[in-house]
Amino acid sequence: MAGRIRTHRAASPWLFLLPGLAVTAAFTLYPFLSTVGKAFTDARTLTPGHWTGLANFRAMLEDEQFWVALRNSGLYVLLVVPFTVLLPLLLALLVEKQLPGVTFFRSAFYTPVVASVVVVSLIWVWMLDDRGLVNGILRALDTGPVDFLGDEWLLLLSAMALTVWKGLGYYMVVYLAALGNVPRELHEAAAVDGAGALRRFTSVTVPAVRSTMVLVGALSSVSAFKVFSEVFLMAGPSGGPAGQDTTLVMLVQRTGTGLGGRVGYASAVSLVVFAVTLLLMLLVLRADRKEAP
Amino acid sequence: MTWRTSGWEKALRYLLMLAVLAVTVGPFLWQLSTSLKGTTEDVYTSPPRFLPRHPTLHNYTAVADIIPVWDYALNSLQVALASVLTNLVGASMAGYALARLRFGGRRLAGLVFVTALLVPLESIVIAQFTMMRDLHLNNTLTAVVLPGAVGALNVLLMRNAFANVPYEIEEAAVIDGANVWQRFTRIALPSVRGTLAVVAIFAFMGAWDDFLWPLIVLSDSDRFTLTVGLDFLHGTFAQNPRLVAAGTVIAVAPLIVMFTCLQRYFFRGVGEGAVKG
């Protein structure tokens, strides 16, 4: 191994690491520590603020918007994650077989992943408009119009559908890589034994890609809890009717920016975002360890 | 092969794939169609009309009269290219040191990047904004690039890539007297070209598509990137879907072209990362 001979000067590794470490320390680790510090002060955009102990956290408990935001971000995880774990797996099974033209379909299904969340949100806003594509089709079928963007719950559900839709292609590719490692013989043996498609799915496919499903669950639950752009663009900066569609990150953005931004309070909410995402990751990884044989 | 696909199954698969195609690509085509419809054409018809009756590029010039959409595109391009460059250089150097060089503190350095991965950007944007203001960098494109200049995930991706290259070739170079920089640039980097392409592509896409951070750090409308500019356009001219449609097509077209040309790397990146966990 390299240790025997002197292959480089003592300072070389640190020079190689310098750009990466400097950026990470200055723009991720320091801001994180500063967020922790500011969460216990009454800092505002233009004033550094004074130590106020747990005042921000107490204010948070009494802030109706905080509870609404926590509820919405939590619901986002509960409703988006199951679909994000399951639908891309089914999609991967659909395009797994090497049929003519299947590469085209795989690439096409990936398109929403490549597009900016801003672009796809604006596309959906236009599609779900009172007089947009979806309601145009509904009217032609003599139903509707459905007020997708006016009702607080339909708005949130529409944004969730958008999130699931945008992630389909990405997680499909993740599953395709995992499915490539499933021995074909398993399927064939199961088919010979007379197992139907559903039975083969639950007893061959799912166990084989279980760890990938856990990975997808972990990734998607963290990103669902941090949701911002979809809801911000579909419901508007103030979070839909009476702010009822505000998510936690929207609350951070709204309270912490601008000239009168309550930096201290926004930092306290940021810590909640951080703590919950960490908790979600630990929960999912622990579930994986418990179930693993 | 005993595993044959029946004609019936094939037909069902194609039918389902066409249905998914309509759902995933359809919305983009609808947006393109809307952007090509002239001011005299009703965009609200029921049933909806997919093909514009008199296709026109009028909306693309009209949207440029309302917001400086080409300047925004240029801002986005600058940010994305800068991010590609800093990520390629920073992540490959750090990844090489972590994978190939033996030194005290290596584990600690690796831990710094892993720790950074656990901090969601959304939870530190306010602190990052305060910091940029203190540095008098707020409202600049530099501030947009800096926080993502060397992504921790990219460093770890590069570390894995270098670790998977057989060490013997480099050993031979050590004996031939090549110094560490020569080994890095002449031997190590060329053998991880695939991963470099993946890092470059995802850095470009990440910077081009980013919204929350530029929204927070940019306040003058002449400094906006495309995503922030589109939000501004949508907020101000929501009543004219043709213009918003033209703006979104401008924002998404470059990425679709890039994806079409380089899709091998897109898939390879996602796949490799997932298999290795």
mmCIF file of all heavy atoms in Angstrom, chain B residues 91-133:
data_model
loop_
_atom_site.group_PDB
_atom_site.id
_atom_site.type_symbol
_atom_site.label_atom_id
_atom_site.label_comp_id
_atom_site.label_asym_id
_atom_site.label_seq_id
_atom_site.Cartn_x
_atom_site.Cartn_y
_atom_site.Cartn_z
ATOM 1 N N ALA B 91 -14.470 18.989 -6.255
ATOM 2 C CA ALA B 91 -14.868 17.643 -5.843
ATOM 3 C C ALA B 91 -13.852 16.600 -6.271
ATOM 4 O O ALA B 91 -13.577 15.656 -5.539
ATOM 5 C CB ALA B 91 -16.251 17.304 -6.409
ATOM 6 N N SER B 92 -13.243 16.767 -7.459
ATOM 7 C CA SER B 92 -12.289 15.746 -7.880
ATOM 8 C C SER B 92 -11.021 15.827 -7.029
ATOM 9 O O SER B 92 -10.466 14.799 -6.649
ATOM 10 C CB SER B 92 -11.974 15.865 -9.374
ATOM 11 O OG SER B 92 -11.359 17.087 -9.647
ATOM 12 N N MET B 93 -10.581 17.043 -6.704
ATOM 13 C CA MET B 93 -9.383 17.163 -5.867
ATOM 14 C C MET B 93 -9.625 16.579 -4.480
ATOM 15 O O MET B 93 -8.831 15.774 -3.980
ATOM 16 C CB MET B 93 -8.952 18.635 -5.771
ATOM 17 C CG MET B 93 -8.214 19.116 -7.012
ATOM 18 S SD MET B 93 -7.922 20.890 -7.025
ATOM 19 C CE MET B 93 -6.906 21.088 -5.592
ATOM 20 N N ALA B 94 -10.730 16.966 -3.863
ATOM 21 C CA ALA B 94 -11.014 16.461 -2.516
ATOM 22 C C ALA B 94 -11.241 14.952 -2.555
ATOM 23 O O ALA B 94 -10.741 14.216 -1.696
ATOM 24 C CB ALA B 94 -12.233 17.174 -1.943
ATOM 25 N N GLY B 95 -11.971 14.484 -3.564
ATOM 26 C CA GLY B 95 -12.240 13.057 -3.680
ATOM 27 C C GLY B 95 -10.951 12.258 -3.855
ATOM 28 O O GLY B 95 -10.790 11.181 -3.278
ATOM 29 N N TYR B 96 -10.023 12.814 -4.629
ATOM 30 C CA TYR B 96 -8.740 12.131 -4.848
ATOM 31 C C TYR B 96 -7.960 12.013 -3.541
ATOM 32 O O TYR B 96 -7.459 10.945 -3.202
ATOM 33 C CB TYR B 96 -7.917 12.895 -5.882
ATOM 34 C CG TYR B 96 -6.583 12.254 -6.197
ATOM 35 C CD1 TYR B 96 -6.525 11.125 -7.000
ATOM 36 C CD2 TYR B 96 -5.407 12.763 -5.666
ATOM 37 C CE1 TYR B 96 -5.310 10.519 -7.285
ATOM 38 C CE2 TYR B 96 -4.185 12.169 -5.935
ATOM 39 C CZ TYR B 96 -4.137 11.053 -6.746
ATOM 40 O OH TYR B 96 -2.944 10.448 -7.019
ATOM 41 N N ALA B 97 -7.895 13.106 -2.783
ATOM 42 C CA ALA B 97 -7.169 13.080 -1.511
ATOM 43 C C ALA B 97 -7.785 12.043 -0.577
ATOM 44 O O ALA B 97 -7.072 11.273 0.068
ATOM 45 C CB ALA B 97 -7.184 14.467 -0.867
ATOM 46 N N LEU B 98 -9.111 12.005 -0.512
ATOM 47 C CA LEU B 98 -9.780 11.080 0.409
ATOM 48 C C LEU B 98 -9.576 9.630 -0.009
ATOM 49 O O LEU B 98 -9.467 8.736 0.829
ATOM 50 C CB LEU B 98 -11.276 11.391 0.489
ATOM 51 C CG LEU B 98 -11.659 12.710 1.151
ATOM 52 C CD1 LEU B 98 -13.164 12.915 1.086
ATOM 53 C CD2 LEU B 98 -11.188 12.741 2.598
ATOM 54 N N ALA B 99 -9.520 9.381 -1.312
ATOM 55 C CA ALA B 99 -9.443 7.994 -1.778
ATOM 56 C C ALA B 99 -8.013 7.496 -1.894
ATOM 57 O O ALA B 99 -7.744 6.319 -1.681
ATOM 58 C CB ALA B 99 -10.141 7.866 -3.132
ATOM 59 N N ARG B 100 -7.073 8.393 -2.226
ATOM 60 C CA ARG B 100 -5.764 7.922 -2.645
ATOM 61 C C ARG B 100 -4.598 8.310 -1.742
ATOM 62 O O ARG B 100 -3.539 7.687 -1.809
ATOM 63 C CB ARG B 100 -5.459 8.476 -4.047
ATOM 64 C CG ARG B 100 -6.090 7.680 -5.159
ATOM 65 C CD ARG B 100 -5.493 6.299 -5.172
ATOM 66 N NE ARG B 100 -5.747 5.625 -6.415
ATOM 67 C CZ ARG B 100 -6.455 4.506 -6.533
ATOM 68 N NH1 ARG B 100 -6.984 3.960 -5.463
ATOM 69 N NH2 ARG B 100 -6.622 3.937 -7.702
ATOM 70 N N LEU B 101 -4.735 9.378 -0.961
ATOM 71 C CA LEU B 101 -3.591 9.827 -0.183
ATOM 72 C C LEU B 101 -3.747 9.369 1.262
ATOM 73 O O LEU B 101 -4.849 9.330 1.796
ATOM 74 C CB LEU B 101 -3.466 11.362 -0.263
ATOM 75 C CG LEU B 101 -3.411 11.924 -1.688
ATOM 76 C CD1 LEU B 101 -3.302 13.430 -1.667
ATOM 77 C CD2 LEU B 101 -2.254 11.313 -2.471
ATOM 78 N N ARG B 102 -2.645 8.984 1.866
ATOM 79 C CA ARG B 102 -2.661 8.544 3.269
ATOM 80 C C ARG B 102 -2.142 9.671 4.134
ATOM 81 O O ARG B 102 -1.030 10.146 3.928
ATOM 82 C CB ARG B 102 -1.780 7.317 3.443
ATOM 83 C CG ARG B 102 -2.168 6.144 2.594
ATOM 84 C CD ARG B 102 -3.400 5.440 3.170
ATOM 85 N NE ARG B 102 -3.905 4.428 2.269
ATOM 86 C CZ ARG B 102 -4.774 4.674 1.281
ATOM 87 N NH1 ARG B 102 -5.212 5.901 1.079
ATOM 88 N NH2 ARG B 102 -5.201 3.709 0.507
ATOM 89 N N PHE B 103 -2.946 10.122 5.078
ATOM 90 C CA PHE B 103 -2.492 11.208 5.954
ATOM 91 C C PHE B 103 -3.353 11.235 7.218
ATOM 92 O O PHE B 103 -4.487 10.752 7.223
ATOM 93 C CB PHE B 103 -2.570 12.558 5.237
ATOM 94 C CG PHE B 103 -3.959 12.896 4.745
ATOM 95 C CD1 PHE B 103 -4.783 13.753 5.465
ATOM 96 C CD2 PHE B 103 -4.435 12.373 3.551
ATOM 97 C CE1 PHE B 103 -6.056 14.062 5.000
ATOM 98 C CE2 PHE B 103 -5.709 12.681 3.095
ATOM 99 C CZ PHE B 103 -6.519 13.527 3.817
ATOM 100 N N GLY B 104 -2.788 11.782 8.267
ATOM 101 C CA GLY B 104 -3.531 11.912 9.515
ATOM 102 C C GLY B 104 -4.656 12.893 9.321
ATOM 103 O O GLY B 104 -4.462 13.942 8.720
ATOM 104 N N GLY B 105 -5.859 12.566 9.796
ATOM 105 C CA GLY B 105 -6.986 13.491 9.652
ATOM 106 C C GLY B 105 -7.850 13.155 8.453
ATOM 107 O O GLY B 105 -8.817 13.868 8.173
ATOM 108 N N ARG B 106 -7.519 12.067 7.756
ATOM 109 C CA ARG B 106 -8.290 11.733 6.559
ATOM 110 C C ARG B 106 -9.727 11.371 6.917
ATOM 111 O O ARG B 106 -10.671 11.788 6.253
ATOM 112 C CB ARG B 106 -7.620 10.569 5.836
ATOM 113 C CG ARG B 106 -8.197 10.298 4.467
ATOM 114 C CD ARG B 106 -7.317 9.327 3.730
ATOM 115 N NE ARG B 106 -7.285 8.062 4.440
ATOM 116 C CZ ARG B 106 -7.792 6.917 3.937
ATOM 117 N NH1 ARG B 106 -8.328 6.918 2.744
ATOM 118 N NH2 ARG B 106 -7.735 5.820 4.624
ATOM 119 N N ARG B 107 -9.865 10.565 7.987
ATOM 120 C CA ARG B 107 -11.214 10.164 8.396
ATOM 121 C C ARG B 107 -12.042 11.372 8.816
ATOM 122 O O ARG B 107 -13.214 11.487 8.494
ATOM 123 C CB ARG B 107 -11.151 9.164 9.546
ATOM 124 C CG ARG B 107 -10.737 7.780 9.100
ATOM 125 C CD ARG B 107 -10.495 6.905 10.312
ATOM 126 N NE ARG B 107 -11.703 6.776 11.109
ATOM 127 C CZ ARG B 107 -12.544 5.724 11.018
ATOM 128 N NH1 ARG B 107 -12.277 4.764 10.172
ATOM 129 N NH2 ARG B 107 -13.619 5.652 11.764
ATOM 130 N N LEU B 108 -11.368 12.298 9.534
ATOM 131 C CA LEU B 108 -12.058 13.507 9.983
ATOM 132 C C LEU B 108 -12.537 14.317 8.779
ATOM 133 O O LEU B 108 -13.678 14.789 8.724
ATOM 134 C CB LEU B 108 -11.114 14.344 10.845
ATOM 135 C CG LEU B 108 -11.734 15.611 11.428
ATOM 136 C CD1 LEU B 108 -12.709 15.259 12.544
ATOM 137 C CD2 LEU B 108 -10.653 16.548 11.937
ATOM 138 N N ALA B 109 -11.642 14.468 7.771
ATOM 139 C CA ALA B 109 -12.005 15.228 6.571
ATOM 140 C C ALA B 109 -13.197 14.584 5.873
ATOM 141 O O ALA B 109 -14.134 15.259 5.435
ATOM 142 C CB ALA B 109 -10.810 15.326 5.625
ATOM 143 N N GLY B 110 -13.173 13.236 5.800
ATOM 144 C CA GLY B 110 -14.301 12.533 5.182
ATOM 145 C C GLY B 110 -15.582 12.779 5.947
ATOM 146 O O GLY B 110 -16.652 12.986 5.373
ATOM 147 N N LEU B 111 -15.449 12.809 7.278
ATOM 148 C CA LEU B 111 -16.613 13.009 8.141
ATOM 149 C C LEU B 111 -17.240 14.383 7.927
ATOM 150 O O LEU B 111 -18.462 14.536 7.999
ATOM 151 C CB LEU B 111 -16.181 12.841 9.601
ATOM 152 C CG LEU B 111 -17.278 12.523 10.601
ATOM 153 C CD1 LEU B 111 -17.899 11.179 10.264
ATOM 154 C CD2 LEU B 111 -16.727 12.522 12.019
ATOM 155 N N VAL B 112 -16.400 15.392 7.640
ATOM 156 C CA VAL B 112 -16.917 16.741 7.395
ATOM 157 C C VAL B 112 -17.917 16.720 6.237
ATOM 158 O O VAL B 112 -19.006 17.290 6.321
ATOM 159 C CB VAL B 112 -15.768 17.725 7.088
ATOM 160 C CG1 VAL B 112 -16.301 19.043 6.540
ATOM 161 C CG2 VAL B 112 -14.937 17.964 8.339
ATOM 162 N N PHE B 113 -17.558 15.994 5.157
ATOM 163 C CA PHE B 113 -18.443 15.966 3.990
ATOM 164 C C PHE B 113 -19.711 15.157 4.275
ATOM 165 O O PHE B 113 -20.797 15.528 3.841
ATOM 166 C CB PHE B 113 -17.691 15.406 2.771
ATOM 167 C CG PHE B 113 -16.572 16.286 2.326
ATOM 168 C CD1 PHE B 113 -15.250 15.900 2.491
ATOM 169 C CD2 PHE B 113 -16.836 17.527 1.757
ATOM 170 C CE1 PHE B 113 -14.212 16.723 2.092
ATOM 171 C CE2 PHE B 113 -15.796 18.357 1.358
ATOM 172 C CZ PHE B 113 -14.481 17.955 1.530
ATOM 173 N N VAL B 114 -19.550 14.052 5.012
ATOM 174 C CA VAL B 114 -20.731 13.252 5.345
ATOM 175 C C VAL B 114 -21.687 14.067 6.230
ATOM 176 O O VAL B 114 -22.901 14.062 6.028
ATOM 177 C CB VAL B 114 -20.322 11.935 6.036
ATOM 178 C CG1 VAL B 114 -21.558 11.172 6.482
ATOM 179 C CG2 VAL B 114 -19.499 11.079 5.082
ATOM 180 N N THR B 115 -21.109 14.794 7.200
ATOM 181 C CA THR B 115 -21.935 15.628 8.082
ATOM 182 C C THR B 115 -22.690 16.680 7.278
ATOM 183 O O THR B 115 -23.879 16.917 7.492
ATOM 184 C CB THR B 115 -21.055 16.334 9.138
ATOM 185 O OG1 THR B 115 -20.205 15.358 9.724
ATOM 186 C CG2 THR B 115 -21.909 16.988 10.204
ATOM 187 N N ALA B 116 -21.967 17.301 6.328
ATOM 188 C CA ALA B 116 -22.588 18.350 5.520
ATOM 189 C C ALA B 116 -23.792 17.805 4.752
ATOM 190 O O ALA B 116 -24.777 18.506 4.522
ATOM 191 C CB ALA B 116 -21.577 18.944 4.550
ATOM 192 N N LEU B 117 -23.698 16.510 4.390
ATOM 193 C CA LEU B 117 -24.779 15.872 3.645
ATOM 194 C C LEU B 117 -26.063 15.781 4.473
ATOM 195 O O LEU B 117 -27.163 15.711 3.929
ATOM 196 C CB LEU B 117 -24.315 14.463 3.254
ATOM 197 C CG LEU B 117 -24.637 13.937 1.879
ATOM 198 C CD1 LEU B 117 -24.272 14.931 0.816
ATOM 199 C CD2 LEU B 117 -23.932 12.617 1.666
ATOM 200 N N LEU B 118 -25.898 15.772 5.797
ATOM 201 C CA LEU B 118 -27.059 15.617 6.676
ATOM 202 C C LEU B 118 -27.796 16.930 6.904
ATOM 203 O O LEU B 118 -28.900 16.938 7.444
ATOM 204 C CB LEU B 118 -26.618 15.056 8.034
ATOM 205 C CG LEU B 118 -26.049 13.646 8.024
ATOM 206 C CD1 LEU B 118 -25.636 13.231 9.428
ATOM 207 C CD2 LEU B 118 -27.063 12.663 7.465
ATOM 208 N N VAL B 119 -27.165 18.047 6.538
ATOM 209 C CA VAL B 119 -27.801 19.347 6.778
ATOM 210 C C VAL B 119 -28.603 19.754 5.543
ATOM 211 O O VAL B 119 -28.032 20.016 4.501
ATOM 212 C CB VAL B 119 -26.744 20.426 7.080
ATOM 213 C CG1 VAL B 119 -27.403 21.767 7.324
ATOM 214 C CG2 VAL B 119 -25.899 20.015 8.277
ATOM 215 N N PRO B 120 -29.933 19.784 5.643
ATOM 216 C CA PRO B 120 -30.722 20.195 4.479
ATOM 217 C C PRO B 120 -30.483 21.681 4.177
ATOM 218 O O PRO B 120 -30.487 22.504 5.096
ATOM 219 C CB PRO B 120 -32.174 19.988 4.913
ATOM 220 C CG PRO B 120 -32.138 19.312 6.234
ATOM 221 C CD PRO B 120 -30.779 19.512 6.813
ATOM 222 N N LEU B 121 -30.261 21.985 2.909
ATOM 223 C CA LEU B 121 -30.037 23.388 2.522
ATOM 224 C C LEU B 121 -31.174 24.276 2.974
ATOM 225 O O LEU B 121 -30.971 25.422 3.373
ATOM 226 C CB LEU B 121 -29.903 23.484 0.992
ATOM 227 C CG LEU B 121 -28.550 23.066 0.440
ATOM 228 C CD1 LEU B 121 -28.562 23.145 -1.064
ATOM 229 C CD2 LEU B 121 -27.468 23.975 1.010
ATOM 230 N N GLU B 122 -32.392 23.729 2.939
ATOM 231 C CA GLU B 122 -33.567 24.516 3.311
ATOM 232 C C GLU B 122 -33.494 25.024 4.744
ATOM 233 O O GLU B 122 -34.128 26.016 5.078
ATOM 234 C CB GLU B 122 -34.846 23.676 3.137
ATOM 235 C CG GLU B 122 -35.223 23.410 1.693
ATOM 236 C CD GLU B 122 -34.456 22.237 1.092
ATOM 237 O OE1 GLU B 122 -33.510 21.725 1.729
ATOM 238 O OE2 GLU B 122 -34.802 21.834 -0.035
ATOM 239 N N SER B 123 -32.736 24.312 5.597
ATOM 240 C CA SER B 123 -32.696 24.717 7.003
ATOM 241 C C SER B 123 -31.602 25.740 7.272
ATOM 242 O O SER B 123 -31.480 26.236 8.392
ATOM 243 C CB SER B 123 -32.526 23.493 7.907
ATOM 244 O OG SER B 123 -31.237 22.954 7.756
ATOM 245 N N ILE B 124 -30.773 26.062 6.268
ATOM 246 C CA ILE B 124 -29.721 27.047 6.521
ATOM 247 C C ILE B 124 -29.769 28.232 5.553
ATOM 248 O O ILE B 124 -28.891 29.076 5.585
ATOM 249 C CB ILE B 124 -28.313 26.399 6.470
ATOM 250 C CG1 ILE B 124 -28.103 25.645 5.157
ATOM 251 C CG2 ILE B 124 -28.101 25.467 7.650
ATOM 252 C CD1 ILE B 124 -26.686 25.141 4.970
ATOM 253 N N VAL B 125 -30.808 28.324 4.730
ATOM 254 C CA VAL B 125 -30.834 29.408 3.742
ATOM 255 C C VAL B 125 -30.876 30.786 4.389
ATOM 256 O O VAL B 125 -30.284 31.735 3.873
ATOM 257 C CB VAL B 125 -32.012 29.293 2.742
ATOM 258 C CG1 VAL B 125 -31.710 28.296 1.648
ATOM 259 C CG2 VAL B 125 -33.304 29.008 3.431
ATOM 260 N N ILE B 126 -31.560 30.902 5.533
ATOM 261 C CA ILE B 126 -31.637 32.209 6.179
ATOM 262 C C ILE B 126 -30.250 32.631 6.674
ATOM 263 O O ILE B 126 -29.812 33.764 6.462
ATOM 264 C CB ILE B 126 -32.663 32.183 7.342
ATOM 265 C CG1 ILE B 126 -34.056 31.819 6.813
ATOM 266 C CG2 ILE B 126 -32.694 33.517 8.069
ATOM 267 C CD1 ILE B 126 -34.601 32.773 5.777
ATOM 268 N N ALA B 127 -29.530 31.678 7.277
ATOM 269 C CA ALA B 127 -28.177 31.985 7.755
ATOM 270 C C ALA B 127 -27.244 32.292 6.580
ATOM 271 O O ALA B 127 -26.401 33.192 6.668
ATOM 272 C CB ALA B 127 -27.639 30.825 8.577
ATOM 273 N N GLN B 128 -27.407 31.536 5.474
ATOM 274 C CA GLN B 128 -26.583 31.804 4.300
ATOM 275 C C GLN B 128 -26.860 33.201 3.758
ATOM 276 O O GLN B 128 -25.952 33.922 3.351
ATOM 277 C CB GLN B 128 -26.860 30.766 3.201
ATOM 278 C CG GLN B 128 -26.278 29.399 3.499
ATOM 279 C CD GLN B 128 -26.662 28.374 2.447
ATOM 280 O OE1 GLN B 128 -27.711 28.486 1.816
ATOM 281 N NE2 GLN B 128 -25.839 27.367 2.276
ATOM 282 N N PHE B 129 -28.129 33.585 3.792
ATOM 283 C CA PHE B 129 -28.495 34.914 3.296
ATOM 284 C C PHE B 129 -27.879 36.002 4.184
ATOM 285 O O PHE B 129 -27.285 36.970 3.679
ATOM 286 C CB PHE B 129 -30.017 35.066 3.259
ATOM 287 C CG PHE B 129 -30.463 36.459 2.931
ATOM 288 C CD1 PHE B 129 -30.203 37.001 1.684
ATOM 289 C CD2 PHE B 129 -31.119 37.235 3.874
ATOM 290 C CE1 PHE B 129 -30.598 38.293 1.375
ATOM 291 C CE2 PHE B 129 -31.516 38.527 3.566
ATOM 292 C CZ PHE B 129 -31.254 39.053 2.319
ATOM 293 N N THR B 130 -27.991 35.831 5.512
ATOM 294 C CA THR B 130 -27.397 36.792 6.440
ATOM 295 C C THR B 130 -25.898 36.919 6.180
ATOM 296 O O THR B 130 -25.344 38.019 6.150
ATOM 297 C CB THR B 130 -27.621 36.327 7.891
ATOM 298 O OG1 THR B 130 -28.981 35.952 8.042
ATOM 299 C CG2 THR B 130 -27.280 37.429 8.880
ATOM 300 N N MET B 131 -25.263 35.766 5.943
ATOM 301 C CA MET B 131 -23.829 35.745 5.694
ATOM 302 C C MET B 131 -23.485 36.498 4.413
ATOM 303 O O MET B 131 -22.545 37.298 4.379
ATOM 304 C CB MET B 131 -23.420 34.290 5.572
ATOM 305 C CG MET B 131 -21.962 34.056 5.659
ATOM 306 S SD MET B 131 -21.719 32.267 5.579
ATOM 307 C CE MET B 131 -20.012 32.266 5.128
ATOM 308 N N MET B 132 -24.230 36.250 3.346
ATOM 309 C CA MET B 132 -23.970 36.935 2.078
ATOM 310 C C MET B 132 -24.163 38.441 2.241
ATOM 311 O O MET B 132 -23.449 39.234 1.634
ATOM 312 C CB MET B 132 -24.904 36.412 0.982
ATOM 313 C CG MET B 132 -24.621 34.993 0.556
ATOM 314 S SD MET B 132 -22.927 34.772 0.001
ATOM 315 C CE MET B 132 -22.833 32.988 -0.070
ATOM 316 N N ARG B 133 -25.149 38.839 3.067
ATOM 317 C CA ARG B 133 -25.343 40.263 3.268
ATOM 318 C C ARG B 133 -24.153 40.862 4.005
ATOM 319 O O ARG B 133 -23.675 41.942 3.667
ATOM 320 C CB ARG B 133 -26.650 40.530 4.019
ATOM 321 C CG ARG B 133 -27.507 41.563 3.305
ATOM 322 C CD ARG B 133 -28.564 42.174 4.214
ATOM 323 N NE ARG B 133 -28.053 42.410 5.537
ATOM 324 C CZ ARG B 133 -28.438 41.725 6.601
ATOM 325 N NH1 ARG B 133 -29.331 40.784 6.496
ATOM 326 N NH2 ARG B 133 -27.907 41.982 7.771
#
